[in-house]
Amino acid sequence: MKKRSIETKDKFIKEKKQIQNALKQAEDKYRSIVETAQEGVSIVNIDGKVTYVNKRMVEMLGYTEQEVIGVSFLKFLDEKEQTYIQENLERRKRGIRERRIFKKDGSSLWALESISPLLDANGKVNGQLIMITDITERKKAEEILRRTNNELESKTNQYTAELEEKNKQLQKEVQERYYMEKRILASNTILKLLTTSSSYGKYLNSVIKYIRNITNCKCVGIRILNEKGQIPFESYMGLSQGFWESENLLSINKDQCVCIRVITGKPKVQDIKVTSHGGSFYCNHLIKFINELSDEERAEFRNACVKHGFHSIAVIPINYKNKILGAIHIADERADMVPLKIIEIIEPLTPMIGEGVYRFSLDGRRAEVEKKLRESNAILETIFSSANFLIAYMDQYFNFIRVNQIYAQLQGYTPEFFTGKHYFDLYPGENERSIFEKVVKTGEGYSTYSKPLGSEGQPGQKITFWDWSIQPVKDSHGKVKGLVFCLIDVTERKRAEEELIKAQKREIESKRLSDIGTLAAMVAHELRNPLGVIQMAAYNIGKKSKDAFLNSHITNIEKKVSESNQIINNLLSYSRIRVPHIEKINILNLLDECVNLAGKRFFNYEVTVNRNFNLLKEEFIEADPIQMREIFINILNNAYQSLPEKKGKIEVNAARNGNDIININIKDNGCGINKEDLPKVFDTFFTKKSKGTGLGLTICKELVAMHGGDIYIESEPGEGTNININLPIRGKI
């Protein structure tokens, strides 16, 4: 038992030694590992003092082992790191972090520190194992990498910013090039339209169609300023009839709106913010714009565009040689349809559009002038060839260039005979020669009237009378280059004047007789009523009376009343004016009948008669149809007779004027009436006609007055005459 106990003890001792040897070997092994490790290893106790450091640790710190043992490890750290170590120790946490370690020489190194708590047998922390790996080179490399990365990032950002800026510039250039190409295309299109359009209307229609295409707006129109100051739409697309009617005849002289201010180049203050540098008004939110204006500012707009629901509006002036000819009007019910870029595309086109407007209008005016010139030449040729007076055209040296047919016939030659011959070689005369020379020298025409030629003392020759006219023909510098010599045979006129002088001697008597006629009409009107009363009274007395003597007196009274009525009838018949016999007549049918009768009478006249009285188709008036017919026929006869060369235009208008009056207007474009003669036209026997009686208008005025109406005349010499008659619908006597 004792032996077994000894054996057991020996075995235990042996095993203990083996364990101790094994532990020593392990300790030596681990110590060797720790001592040869590339990481610094230190152990600190619960107070933070170093109890062990390996060789690598002292090398990294620059101290000896003896200088480190027993020293607080916090000595090698800054205050912030010391706080971290204390917290980590107290919390018994493991931790790995990078920190800066200070060496003996004051320098520092970057270390990757791993801290692990050391526990006693009871599991209580009694220290820390601190392992440090020198990562200074790595940190330097990281710093270099960071700086490099920062530089690279900075350069990348710089390059990115530069690229973005260049991209913006490129986009801007692309956009500008796009709009430039669009402007060039637009310019080329407008130029092409100018060269290919055959007329003014087709050109403007093509222009607005193209503008409508590039703007995508519904409504486009072109206004052109005319001589009256109006700005009508010469061409338009998409505008409603109501808008056109309200806006077509705007006037720069009396209306006010933004389109007028654009054309006149006089914008208001409120227009400026929506006006381009080119003077165009453009607004993409019109209603909002108008609502933001004051009442005074809003009064400067007609608001027609707002009333018709337009949100986008642009008015672009059409310029030509620094002059505004009109404007392009763009409108759409959608907002944002007229951006500035679109306006800037259209604005450069307006000088070309203006040139087209000017060129076509100039061509139109030229064509019109040429047409009028051809017409004038044709008229002059007709006058020259067919005039019933003598015409000769000669140069400033009095050599014949041309004579008309009647001139040659009167002299017994053909017109060709006179060409090139000298006037005074054919017709010597010093007095006439001095007159011709004076006209050439002064450039002033000469006229003489009723100059006698021939002598009654010579056998077979009568005195004739001639009006002479010698008028100079001048060049553009006012120098006389020729003469027009006209002679008119006025022998009959001279004889008529002599007869007129004789007739004037009878005028007093004629006027007296006319006054009697007028008095007769008045007497008839005033006496017939009392005569009727007398006759009725005599009849009643005779019926009741049984006295033969009284009956004889009554018979005598009735006879005298009958004689008086006969006298009145004779006077009325003499004066040609009788009391109107009122009937209900259709005024349209009566006018139509009178126009037809006048047309048949003057069938050889080339006259255009415009009848504008269809509105009176169902209208009736109470009047004497015979007297009405006499009035209208008389006036129509005068109108025909006033037309020069039996050509012209007569217009007959009639319409109801209010509830009780019918207005009849008869207008011609004849010779007209001189201003000094107008007050006399209704006077008895006043006439300018050689064969007239001067009673026509006098009778017309009296007949109109007898129907309770009035008549008045407006006339200008060479322009024509306008006669207005107002008649009551219900007869008035």
Side-chain angles (χ1 to χ4, degrees):
M1 185 74 174
K2 184 176 181 182
K3 180 180 179 181
R4 185 179 295 174
S5 174
I6 292 172
E7 287 176 355
T8 300
K9 183 177 181 182
D10 289 340
K11 185 179 180 180
F12 174 76
I13 292 171
K14 183 179 179 181
E15 288 177 354
K16 181 179 179 182
K17 285 182 179 181
Q18 288 176 347
I19 290 171
Q20 288 177 346
N21 289 333
L23 286 172
K24 186 174 185 307
Q25 289 176 358
E27 182 180 351
D28 291 340
K29 181 180 179 181
Y30 286 118
R31 182 179 295 275
S32 174
I33 291 172
V34 170
E35 289 295 335
T36 59
Q38 293 302 310
E39 289 78 15
V41 179
S42 67
I43 296 173
V44 297
N45 59 21
I46 193 66
D47 297 324
K49 293 181 178 180
V50 178
T51 58
Y52 171 80
V53 291
N54 69 348
K55 184 178 180 181
R56 179 58 181 158
M57 177 68 82
V58 295
E59 288 176 354
M60 285 191 293
L61 296 176
Y63 290 95
T64 64
E65 183 179 352
Q66 290 76 14
E67 290 174 328
V68 175
I69 297 298
V71 176
S72 173
F73 192 81
L74 299 179
K75 175 181 178 181
F76 312 110
L77 308 176
D78 59 23
E79 292 181 0
K80 184 177 179 181
E81 294 298 328
Q82 290 175 14
T83 302
Y84 175 79
I85 292 292
Q86 287 293 339
E87 290 177 352
N88 198 52
L89 180 64
E90 292 173 359
R91 294 174 187 173
R92 299 193 297 174
K93 289 182 178 179
R94 297 179 179 271
I96 299 175
R97 66 176 299 170
E98 295 177 356
R99 61 161 49 95
R100 191 180 293 277
I101 304 294
F102 291 93
K103 299 166 65 174
K104 182 178 180 180
D105 59 7
S107 63
S108 63
L109 60 86
W110 276 99
L112 181 63
E113 180 187 67
S114 175
I115 302 176
S116 299
L118 297 177
L119 306 177
D120 59 12
N122 297 320
K124 185 178 180 181
V125 176
N126 62 0
Q128 288 179 324
L129 173 65
I130 300 174
M131 298 181 67
I132 293 176
T133 302
D134 189 350
I135 58 172
T136 301
E137 294 301 322
R138 194 193 77 187
K139 291 295 285 185
K140 289 180 179 179
E142 288 177 352
E143 180 63 23
I144 293 172
L145 184 61
R146 184 187 63 77
R147 286 199 301 269
T148 303
N149 186 60
N150 288 342
E151 291 175 0
L152 181 60
E153 185 176 357
S154 176
K155 289 182 179 180
T156 300
N157 292 337
Q158 181 181 347
Y159 292 153
T160 301
E162 291 175 357
L163 285 174
E164 289 177 351
E165 183 63 28
K166 288 182 179 179
N167 186 50
K168 289 179 182 178
Q169 292 177 356
L170 183 60
Q171 288 179 348
K172 185 178 180 181
E173 290 175 3
V174 168
Q175 191 176 37
E176 288 178 353
R177 179 170 295 180
Y178 167 76
Y179 282 108
M180 178 64 72
E181 291 175 351
K182 204 163 185 179
R183 283 193 289 270
I184 293 172
L185 176 61
S187 298
N188 291 337
T189 302
I190 295 299
L191 286 173
K192 184 177 180 181
L193 293 176
L194 181 57
T195 57
T196 57
S197 298
S198 59
S199 67
Y200 179 59
K202 290 182 179 179
Y203 172 69
L204 291 185
N205 289 341
S206 299
V207 168
I208 63 169
K209 185 176 181 181
Y210 181 69
I211 292 175
R212 193 185 192 194
N213 182 50
I214 63 177
T215 61
N216 200 30
C217 286
K218 178 182 176 182
C219 306
V220 180
I222 291 181
R223 295 176 178 270
I224 299 298
L225 179 64
N226 63 24
E227 295 177 354
K228 297 179 181 179
Q230 297 170 328
I231 49 172
F233 284 102
E234 293 292 322
S235 182
Y236 65 91
M237 293 180 71
L239 296 176
S240 67
Q241 184 69 17
F243 183 85
W244 180 86
E245 289 175 353
S246 68
E247 295 293 292
N248 190 49
L249 293 180
L250 291 186
S251 170
I252 63 172
N253 300 319
K254 61 182 181 180
D255 296 313
Q256 57 179 358
C257 195
V258 67
C259 49
I260 292 173
R261 295 194 288 274
V262 168
I263 291 175
T264 57
K266 299 176 181 179
K268 296 287 186 178
V269 175
Q270 62 268 25
D271 303 337
I272 300 299
K273 62 182 179 181
V274 284
T275 300
S276 71
H277 292 300
S280 302
F281 175 88
Y282 67 101
C283 183
N284 287 287
H285 299 277
L286 182 63
I287 296 176
K288 180 181 178 183
F289 171 76
I290 294 295
N291 289 338
E292 290 175 351
L293 299 176
S294 65
D295 292 340
E296 184 178 353
E297 291 172 334
R298 199 176 295 120
E300 303 287 343
F301 292 82
R302 286 170 51 80
N303 287 330
C305 292
V306 174
K307 293 175 183 176
H308 285 80
F310 294 132
H311 286 269
S312 297
I313 286 291
V315 183
I316 304 169
I318 298 176
N319 300 286
Y320 180 71
K321 292 185 177 180
N322 298 321
K323 182 181 178 181
I324 298 178
L325 302 182
I328 300 169
H329 196 122
I330 303 172
D332 201 283
E333 296 168 352
R334 296 165 291 176
D336 299 314
M337 293 300 292
V338 286
L340 181 59
K341 284 293 183 183
I342 291 295
I343 303 301
E344 290 174 343
I345 289 175
I346 299 175
E347 282 180 336
L349 306 179
T350 60
M352 289 180 282
I353 297 173
E355 183 177 354
V357 169
Y358 178 79
R359 184 183 299 178
F360 275 111
S361 60
L362 185 64
D363 290 344
R365 289 195 295 270
R366 185 185 295 115
E368 186 66 24
V369 169
E370 290 174 352
K371 180 182 177 183
K372 289 182 179 179
L373 184 60
R374 287 193 298 270
E375 292 173 352
S376 298
N377 288 337
I379 292 171
L380 290 174
E381 183 62 30
T382 302
I383 293 172
F384 190 85
S385 302
S386 61
N388 59 358
F389 56 89
L390 284 62
I391 306 175
Y393 178 49
M394 58 191 75
D395 62 22
Q396 69 268 41
Y397 305 111
F398 318 131
N399 297 308
F400 282 103
I401 297 174
R402 188 179 179 190
V403 301
N404 69 345
Q405 187 69 32
I406 194 171
Y407 189 102
Q409 287 177 353
L410 191 64
Q411 305 301 321
Y413 299 103
T414 64
E416 292 75 19
F417 168 81
F418 292 90
T419 304
K421 291 183 173 57
H422 198 279
Y423 178 85
F424 292 107
D425 289 343
L426 298 178
Y427 311 106
E430 291 302 321
N431 185 44
E432 287 81 0
R433 190 182 189 105
S434 64
I435 294 172
F436 278 50
E437 289 174 347
K438 183 178 180 181
V439 171
V440 173
K441 182 179 180 180
T442 63
E444 297 178 359
Y446 171 83
S447 298
T448 184
Y449 303 96
S450 301
K451 184 176 182 179
L453 290 176
S455 173
E456 291 185 346
Q458 297 180 2
Q461 187 175 15
K462 296 181 179 180
I463 293 178
T464 56
F465 296 89
W466 298 81
D467 285 350
W468 281 26
S469 173
I470 308 169
Q471 298 299 325
V473 178
K474 301 178 182 179
D475 60 15
S476 58
H477 302 289
K479 187 176 180 180
V480 176
K481 290 295 183 181
L483 297 173
V484 175
F485 181 38
C486 296
L487 299 98
I488 303 175
D489 187 351
V490 294
T491 303
E492 289 188 12
R493 188 189 73 190
K494 184 68 175 176
R495 302 281 190 255
E497 287 175 353
E498 292 173 353
E499 290 296 326
L500 185 60
I501 292 172
K502 295 176 183 179
Q504 286 174 347
K505 295 178 181 180
R506 298 191 294 268
E507 183 177 354
I508 297 174
E509 180 66 16
S510 298
K511 181 133 182 357
R512 185 180 68 83
L513 294 176
S514 176
D515 291 342
I516 291 173
T518 303
L519 179 62
M522 183 178 67
V523 168
H525 180 68
E526 296 296 331
L527 292 184
R528 269 197 166 146
N529 286 336
L531 284 174
V533 172
I534 292 171
Q535 188 175 24
M536 180 61 69
Y539 172 78
N540 290 332
I541 293 171
K543 189 175 181 181
K544 296 179 180 180
S545 173
K546 304 298 182 179
D547 188 340
F549 180 75
L550 180 61
N551 288 338
S552 67
H553 283 290
I554 291 172
T555 301
N556 192 40
I557 290 172
E558 289 176 341
K559 180 179 178 182
K560 294 303 179 184
V561 168
S562 177
E563 290 176 356
S564 297
N565 278 325
Q566 185 61 43
I567 292 171
I568 292 171
N569 288 334
N570 291 337
L571 286 172
L572 287 175
S573 176
Y574 176 79
S575 67
R576 298 174 59 196
I577 299 176
R578 63 177 176 79
V579 176
H581 178 68
I582 300 299
E583 297 179 14
K584 194 172 185 180
I585 60 175
N586 184 292
I587 189 68
L588 183 146
N589 293 338
L590 184 62
L591 284 172
D592 213 33
E593 176 188 345
C594 293
V595 171
N596 291 334
L597 287 172
K600 290 178 181 179
R601 179 179 179 185
F602 297 94
F603 66 92
N604 59 338
Y605 280 55
E606 295 181 19
V607 177
T608 300
V609 179
N610 294 329
R611 310 181 194 207
N612 301 315
F613 43 76
N614 286 334
L615 293 177
L616 298 179
K617 188 173 182 180
E618 304 298 331
E619 292 289 347
F620 290 83
I621 66 170
E622 294 178 357
D624 187 317
I626 295 175
Q627 292 181 348
M628 289 294 105
R629 191 177 290 107
E630 184 175 0
I631 292 169
F632 300 141
I633 288 292
N634 217 328
I635 294 172
L636 286 167
N637 288 345
N638 287 344
Y640 272 95
Q641 291 167 357
S642 72
L643 299 176
E645 299 181 18
K646 300 182 179 181
K647 297 179 181 179
K649 183 173 72 173
I650 296 174
E651 190 173 319
V652 181
N653 306 299
R656 188 162 183 159
N657 185 4
N659 295 325
D660 302 321
I661 300 295
I662 295 292
N663 174 257
I664 299 97
N665 169 258
I666 300 175
K667 185 188 303 182
D668 64 68
N669 63 345
C671 59
I673 303 171
N674 293 329
K675 185 177 181 180
E676 60 271 15
D677 292 335
L678 270 177
K680 307 173 187 176
V681 293
F682 293 114
D683 291 351
T684 308
F685 299 122
F686 176 79
T687 181
K688 287 290 184 177
K689 303 174 186 177
S690 61
K691 297 181 181 180
T693 63
L695 290 173
L697 288 177
T698 305
I699 293 172
C700 288
K701 185 174 182 179
E702 291 188 12
L703 292 178
V704 170
M706 290 180 70
H707 282 78
D710 60 73
I711 179 172
Y712 60 92
I713 298 179
E714 300 169 306
S715 185
E716 288 288 340
E719 297 292 331
T721 301
N722 186 6
I723 299 181
N724 283 282
I725 304 169
N726 292 314
L727 293 171
I729 292 176
R730 299 185 64 82
K732 296 180 181 179
I733 301 178

